[in-house]
Amino acid sequence: MRIIIAVFFMFLLAACHTRTAEEAYKEGKYLESINLLADSIEDKGTAKLGQKDVQRLQNIVNSVMQHYETTLSNTNNQDYAKRIECYQNLLAMKLRLSDRFYSQEISFFDNKYDFTKLQESIAKEYYDYGNSITGTDSKSYRIKADLYKKGFEQYNYKNIESLYNNANKKYMQLAAKDYYDQGKMLAQQGNYKAAADAFNNASEVYQPLGKYKDSDKLSVENDRKHCTQQAENAYEQAQQLARTATRRYQFREVAQYYASAASAYRQYGSFRDADFQADKYKREGKVKVYYNSSELKSYVTDLLSKDFIEFVIYQPGQADVTIRVTTNVEFSDLGKSVNNETKTEKIFDKFIELADENGNKKQVKTYKDQQFNLQTVTHSNKLTLTTEIEAHGIYSYSKSFNVVQTSAKHDYIYSGNVPSNLHNYSKGTLQTKDSLLRAAKDQQLTELKVYIEDMVRDLSYL
């Protein structure tokens, strides 16, 4: 048990442990160590800043500063990424530690580094980095432009802004040409969608400089060719299926293909007679249903409301399928039943004195049987809700099911020499017809839903 408690407290202490700056420093997370220590000192405030805190601050700041300075002195001048990282980390330190109530305690760092000088050093590294890359294609000019831009965002070093503008312009010119040439090739191959995208990319990348040749026009032309291809394919599929279609669900498939053809070309107008054919076959694919009952009409028609079903309201003769749902309620008062029983229960009689094997005497309770009568009077009733579902026409269906609800009340009446702990009581409730009917209807709708959904599934394959 002591071991378990000890382990528990070890976990508790670990959970409550606050990460220190020294721990972060040992893990090589130098900026985190600076932030942790600065947060700790600022939480204490000026009044609670002790000499030990100052010494910790000076030690950590000096160690981190020397780490970055040593890294810079040992890093090759052409390793721009690493040098930029060091200067950026020194700048982050400067931002975190300057203009604080404890800044004077680390003046060896705060006075040594200036915001602007650090930003200028970062910009110089980006400047040299960009100059080290030879521009040969759109990719290389984009890299050069990105580097100059990052440097310019830090400091306007020499002519870095001009270099960025020139590199970015050259990138846009070459990238636009690449996309344009790619679009020409794809168009020749018949890949009109990709060609349209390529011409559009040429327009977008060159947009700051104006319009690039006829890329806008070619993008639209190739997109239109692509849409025409899509529409032609869907239209042809519709025609092929229409030649053999005889069932309503097949007509609906034909309608979908015609609708796809119309949709594919929609932005350029109407495609042949695709809209007309889609509407025509959609109508031919409808299953006309007449609901020949006032019972559960709203509930059943909601379940039947599908895209392929059309309800006939006034002219039943026009319906393909006639559906009828009828219900019947039978209620029975089962009356009263009586059951009489004789019960026996052991009750306390008296104490007697008995001796154990050592001769010690003690008082022991004795019990006797006591008989009494229990009469159980039961009042019960029963309701049966019968539901019949029928369909006829081009589709036949017939199902019926019963929902039975019962209730009972039991009265327990004692008589004779009744033990004092027993009293008359009742159990259960004899429900009214209306109450039983409400419960039956809830169950009826749940079961009816399953049958109607089966019917809908059948109708969808007509």
Side-chain angles (χ1 to χ4, degrees), residues 79-279:
D79 191 350
Y80 303 106
K82 193 169 185 180
R83 296 179 67 82
I84 289 169
E85 182 184 6
C86 288
Y87 282 122
Q88 287 177 330
N89 289 337
L90 286 169
L91 179 60
M93 285 179 63
K94 179 70 176 177
L95 289 167
R96 182 67 184 85
L97 300 173
S98 293
D99 298 325
R100 313 286 173 167
F101 65 82
Y102 51 82
S103 296
Q104 61 187 12
E105 305 294 347
I106 49 172
S107 57
F108 61 88
F109 169 77
D110 200 36
N111 294 338
K112 184 175 185 178
Y113 288 101
D114 176 74
F115 284 113
T116 304
K117 289 295 183 183
L118 284 170
Q119 289 174 314
E120 183 179 1
S121 296
I122 295 170
K124 179 184 180 303
E125 295 296 335
Y126 276 119
Y127 181 91
D128 293 340
Y129 199 174
N131 287 341
S132 71
I133 296 173
T134 302
T136 56
D137 54 18
S138 62
K139 182 178 179 181
S140 58
Y141 274 105
R142 182 170 188 172
I143 294 172
K144 285 172 71 72
D146 287 344
L147 292 171
Y148 290 138
K149 182 181 180 183
K150 289 177 180 177
F152 178 63
E153 288 172 348
Q154 291 288 335
Y155 184 83
N156 192 3
Y157 181 77
K158 294 185 176 180
N159 62 334
I160 194 170
E161 182 180 9
S162 175
L163 291 175
Y164 161 68
N165 289 331
N166 292 336
N168 193 46
K169 182 178 180 180
K170 192 66 176 176
Y171 156 69
M172 290 187 287
Q173 291 171 336
L174 291 175
K177 181 180 183 303
D178 291 341
Y179 282 128
Y180 189 89
D181 293 343
Q182 182 186 42
K184 287 282 192 181
M185 179 189 68
L186 291 167
Q188 289 175 355
Q189 295 172 352
N191 192 348
Y192 300 119
K193 173 61 177 173
D197 291 341
F199 286 124
N200 185 61
N201 289 338
S203 296
E204 287 187 351
V205 75
Y206 199 78
Q207 191 273 332
L209 302 178
K211 291 187 176 295
Y212 188 77
K213 298 183 178 180
D214 57 347
S215 57
D216 287 335
K217 175 186 174 184
L218 291 177
S219 178
V220 173
E221 286 181 0
N222 280 275
D223 184 67
R224 186 167 188 160
K225 288 179 180 179
H226 166 70
C227 292
T228 302
Q229 276 185 337
Q230 298 296 103
E232 288 281 7
N233 290 337
Y235 194 93
E236 184 178 346
Q237 285 179 298
Q239 287 182 316
Q240 289 178 352
L241 183 57
R243 293 188 189 105
T244 57
T246 57
R247 307 281 292 275
R248 283 169 174 75
Y249 78 88
Q250 293 173 322
F251 293 147
R252 294 196 296 273
E253 289 181 17
V254 173
Q256 288 175 355
Y257 280 120
Y258 277 124
S260 295
S263 176
Y265 199 76
R266 184 75 64 202
Q267 60 183 312
Y268 298 109
S270 298
F271 185 77
R272 299 187 190 179
D273 61 344
D275 283 317
F276 170 79
Q277 295 292 350
D279 289 340

Side-chain angles (χ1 to χ4, degrees), residues 425-443:
Y425 69 97
S426 296
K427 186 177 180 181
T429 303
L430 187 65
Q431 298 183 38
T432 65
K433 177 182 176 181
D434 287 343
S435 178
L436 291 175
L437 183 58
R438 283 194 297 271
K441 284 184 175 180
D442 288 341
Q443 186 177 340

Side-chain angles (χ1 to χ4, degrees), residues 339-344 372-376 412-415:
N339 182 51
N340 293 305
E341 300 175 81
T342 299
K343 298 283 188 178
T344 301
F372 59 95
N373 302 315
L374 171 61
Q375 184 181 71
T376 304
Y412 299 92
I413 305 166
Y414 295 99
S415 62

